[in-house]
Amino acid sequence: MSASDRSTARPVALLARPGVARDRLREAVLAAGGALVLEEDPGALDPAVLQAVGPAMVLVALEPALEDALERLAPALEAPQLELMFEEAELAARREGWDAQRWTRHLAAKLQGHDQVLPPGQEDEALPLPEPGMPERPAERHADAPLQFHVEEAAQHLDEVPVDTLYAPPPAGHERPEVLSFEELMAMAPARAEPATVPAVPPELPPLEDAPAPAAAGNPTLPGSFHEWSLLDDDAYVAPAAAVPPAVAVAPAQIEAADAIDTGALSLVALEADAGAAAQGAVLLLAGIGGPDAVRRLLGALPDDFPLPVLVQMRLDGGRYANLVKQMSRVAVLPVGLAEAGQALEASNVYVLQDGVGVTAQAGGLRFADGTAPVLQALAADRSAVVMLSGADPSLVPEALAFAERGGWVAGQSGDGCYDPEAASQLAVAGHPAGPPEYLAGELVQRSYG
């Protein structure tokens, strides 16, 4: 640094404890063109010494140990002519290489009062910083100009506008017409004419010479003429001759026999019979060990409009079927109840079969009855289904297969949670569907039992 540079450099006071951070900051101040007038530990510095050297900038290396010292030097550091700059001592000690050079350039820009922080040789590559606000547009320069200004400006540049072959420019000796203002053009405009009065009755149109005359009385009209049209005369339509069926001769004896038929004994088939036939279908769930969880999962997947009654047959030690009803009621959308002898099976209901209760088919539908008769014998196979879940009795597999041969749908549980898959596996080996309870519930819903 030359003598002239030293004379113009800003005086800097460096306040830092001895160490690597202080050495790095000293090098940065000198490289940035600052004149180092004081280098001292803040803990041992007298405020009067700082004021005596008269620095323009004070660079402080911050450390937790210097908090009390900086509070003591606060009156001297708050002088209005001083420019304070703080730096973490730990960061200054680690800074080296490109990072140290970049920090030095920022320090130089602060000392010398410019914003050039790029490395040497790249000053021209700096892009101008954007300024707030919208850029000025050419049209905004004359936004407040009167209309006459724009008209005259357009007339001046009329000859500069490119033309094509469809436009013929005026001859050279032709004088350009005088440009009038908008007010002058409005003054020259003719007065608005009153609108013509529309006659109330349109004038009579002359008759068409080529139009055919209407048919007179007694004169036939042309085929397809609109004079034959009618909105109410439906009898005018006559079916083609080919569409008329030939007449059938009926003997008088046949007419007398038809009159002699007694219709008093005829009646419609009772609708209750159809309802009873539809109620003959049901779904039977067979389960055992591990069955409660499988039954809960299957019932929880059935919708509230499932069209068949659902029977749950699962042997329980101690006959705690009432508890089973409570467990299923918590997860099932359908109502769940305990089957009782004499009770009729209703669609969209779940019944838990307890010991000693079977199902019989009667004229009015299915009913629960005392006894141990096999349930499958009372169900209409084409409207019913049997699902064997975990723990189902394998001795019932032959009966289920026979039920399938009569047209019933038979399936078994498989997958995780099937603790005793013996009976269900036999159904799968026989070629019947198998899957988790949720899948079996979906298959039951997809089947048509209506």
Side-chain angles (χ1 to χ4, degrees):
M1 181 182 297
S2 60
S4 59
D5 294 337
R6 287 193 298 267
S7 60
T8 58
R10 297 184 65 187
V12 179
L14 176 58
L15 304 183
R17 297 175 62 187
V20 179
R22 180 169 170 175
D23 298 339
R24 296 285 175 81
L25 293 177
R26 182 193 317 111
E27 296 174 358
V29 171
L30 297 178
L36 195 58
V37 296
L38 178 64
E39 182 179 348
E40 189 61 63
D41 183 355
L45 179 62
D46 187 356
V49 175
L50 179 61
Q51 296 175 353
V53 297
M57 174 182 289
V58 178
L59 178 58
V60 181
L62 294 177
E63 293 184 62
L66 298 180
E67 293 181 1
D68 296 339
L70 293 179
E71 291 181 2
R72 181 175 54 84
L73 296 175
L77 296 176
E78 293 175 357
Q81 73 277 7
L82 291 181
E83 182 178 359
L84 296 179
M85 186 173 182
F86 298 93
E87 176 64 9
E88 294 286 344
E90 183 179 359
L91 294 179
R94 296 201 311 261
R95 190 180 294 118
E96 58 184 8
W98 181 88
D99 194 16
Q101 296 176 7
R102 183 179 62 85
W103 192 86
T104 301
R105 291 194 299 270
H106 282 268
L107 179 60
K110 199 171 189 65
L111 288 174
Q112 301 173 15
H114 58 75
D115 56 358
Q116 181 55 256
V117 295
L118 294 178
Q122 301 184 12
E123 293 82 354
D124 298 337
E125 298 180 4
L127 297 177
L129 297 177
E131 298 181 358
M134 293 289 292
E136 183 183 9
R137 292 177 293 181
E140 296 178 352
R141 301 175 183 174
H142 310 297
D144 299 333
L147 179 62
Q148 185 64 24
F149 171 80
H150 298 284
V151 174
E152 295 178 355
E153 185 180 17
Q156 295 176 2
H157 299 282
L158 181 61
D159 297 335
E160 303 175 4
V161 179
V163 298
D164 52 19
T165 56
L166 298 179
Y167 171 75
H174 179 74
E175 296 182 358
R176 180 178 299 169
E178 180 182 1
V179 179
L180 301 179
S181 64
F182 178 75
E183 291 77 5
E184 295 173 345
L185 292 175
M186 293 297 298
M188 295 174 60
R192 179 182 299 178
E194 295 295 332
T197 304
V198 180
V201 180
E204 183 179 358
L205 298 177
L208 299 177
E209 298 179 359
D210 299 335
N219 294 334
T221 58
L222 296 177
S225 174
F226 64 89
H227 296 287
E228 299 178 350
W229 293 2
S230 174
L231 296 177
L232 301 177
D233 191 7
D234 295 340
D235 298 335
Y237 173 76
V238 178
V244 178
V248 179
V250 181
Q254 294 176 344
I255 298 177
E256 295 177 0
D259 294 339
I261 296 176
D262 184 13
T263 60
L266 298 179
S267 63
L268 297 176
V269 177
L271 297 179
E272 289 76 4
D274 294 338
Q280 295 290 329
V283 175
L284 177 60
L285 305 182
L286 301 174
I289 300 177
D293 180 67
V295 173
R296 281 194 297 266
R297 293 165 58 185
L298 193 148
L299 294 181
L302 292 179
D304 57 355
D305 57 350
F306 188 70
L308 293 181
V310 181
L311 309 178
V312 178
Q313 185 174 0
M314 182 170 55
R315 303 304 179 193
L316 297 177
D317 296 336
R320 297 186 299 272
Y321 293 102
N323 294 336
L324 183 61
V325 171
K326 295 180 181 179
Q327 295 177 13
M328 301 307 161
S329 300
R330 296 189 185 100
V331 296
V333 180
L334 300 174
V336 182
L338 190 62
E340 297 181 359
Q343 182 182 7
L345 278 70
E346 297 182 3
S348 305
N349 279 265
V350 179
Y351 301 95
V352 176
L353 294 175
Q354 52 185 336
D355 298 336
V357 176
V359 178
T360 61
Q362 299 180 3
L366 297 176
R367 287 185 176 273
F368 296 112
D370 293 331
T372 57
V375 179
L376 293 182
Q377 294 182 1
L379 303 181
D382 58 339
R383 296 177 179 272
S384 303
V386 176
V387 178
M388 285 191 163
L389 301 173
S390 176
D393 189 356
S395 63
L396 299 177
V397 172
E399 186 179 353
L401 295 178
F403 177 79
E405 293 179 357
R406 299 198 308 267
W409 189 75
V410 177
Q413 180 186 357
S414 66
D416 297 339
C418 189
Y419 300 99
D420 185 6
E422 182 179 354
S425 300
Q426 294 183 24
L427 296 180
V429 172
H432 294 281
E438 294 80 6
Y439 166 79
L440 299 177
E443 290 295 317
L444 291 172
V445 174
Q446 291 298 325
R447 291 182 59 82
S448 176
Y449 294 104

